[in-house]
Amino acid sequence: MAPPIPTPDGYWSTNAKKYFGTTYTMTNFVALVNTQYANLGGTVTTADSNTTTSTPHVTAQKKTVTYNHGGNNETATLANNYTNWTVYTHVKGTSNSRRIGWGNLSSDHRGTKVYVDSRGVKRGGWSGTWYRIRFAKNSTHKYWVYRKVLNFPKVTYSDASGKATLNTATNAPLYNHVLNSTYLSKTMGHTGSYAADTQVTVNKKGYKASDGTTWYRLILNGKPYWTQAANLTF
């Protein structure tokens, strides 16, 4: 007479005890499979109820690039190790971006001054800041490089407070950021456009060691601007 065929549950129980010193049934196995499947984002239906537990799939973040265009008159210098990051026709990874390579631009550009007119910041499923550069101010040949390729003048920021009077007689420019900083800047207005003795509130200070200038962020008609300290009277 043939030996009885063990049930699956009996098989698991017997062998679990034999190899692992404990009992382990098919019910335990199914529970484990359901748990792991749920962790992967699947849907699990329990055997003793009509309820369904669903773990949603994680949606990948959309990759975007936020651009900030400067006023076309800001500069930086190429770092000594600039060749550690290559040069592209556009921000790396975007459509129509093509690798150029420094070898195709000839010469040794360490410490070379370049003009910077645009900044692209990657967000979402990727990260990194990129800049568009030119080797001459009016050149039509433009290249995109990673931020570590460039050395900008250092700006040290600190909090500020108080009131100041705008020096309107000088008709000095008002920027959206400190001129020649890593943020890049654009002229947003001029002090001469406002009435004499116009009062503003300052809330931030920036110091550029490269040229010894001090800058203030001011609030004028509800909008923020940056200007040099010489354009304000405290």
Side-chain angles (χ1 to χ4, degrees), residues 91-125:
V91 174
K92 181 182 178 181
T94 59
S95 59
N96 300 320
S97 176
R98 181 174 57 84
R99 182 181 183 277
I100 298 174
W102 292 108
N104 292 312
L105 299 182
S106 70
S107 186
D108 182 351
H109 296 293
R110 286 177 294 181
T112 297
K113 181 174 78 172
V114 293
Y115 292 84
V116 190
D117 61 18
S118 293
R119 174 175 177 255
V121 179
K122 291 182 174 181
R123 292 188 171 90

Side-chain angles (χ1 to χ4, degrees), residues 27-74:
T27 301
N28 301 133
F29 176 71
V30 171
L32 175 63
V33 171
N34 284 343
T35 299
Q36 295 301 318
Y37 183 61
N39 289 340
L40 293 174
T43 299
V44 176
T45 303
T46 59
D48 56 352
S49 72
N50 293 321
T51 60
T52 299
T53 302
S54 178
T55 303
H57 292 282
V58 177
T59 302
Q61 290 182 291
K62 183 179 179 181
K63 295 180 178 180
T64 62
V65 180
T66 302
Y67 294 95
N68 175 51
H69 302 293
N72 207 35
N73 60 347
E74 294 175 285

Side-chain angles (χ1 to χ4, degrees), residues 3 7-8 18 56 82 115 130 140 143 150-151 154 161 170 178-179 183 186 197 217-218 231:
T7 63
K18 178 180 179 181
Y82 73 96
Y115 292 84
W130 291 71
T140 57
Y143 312 96
L150 301 177
N151 289 325
K154 182 180 179 181
S161 62
T170 58
V178 175
L179 181 66
Y183 295 104
K186 267 201 225 181
D197 300 322
R217 186 174 67 186
L218 57 94
N231 304 319

Side-chain angles (χ1 to χ4, degrees), residues 211-230:
D211 58 9
T213 57
T214 298
W215 293 70
Y216 284 96
R217 186 174 67 186
L218 57 94
I219 304 300
L220 180 57
N221 294 339
K223 296 180 179 180
Y225 301 96
W226 283 90
T227 194
Q228 287 195 46

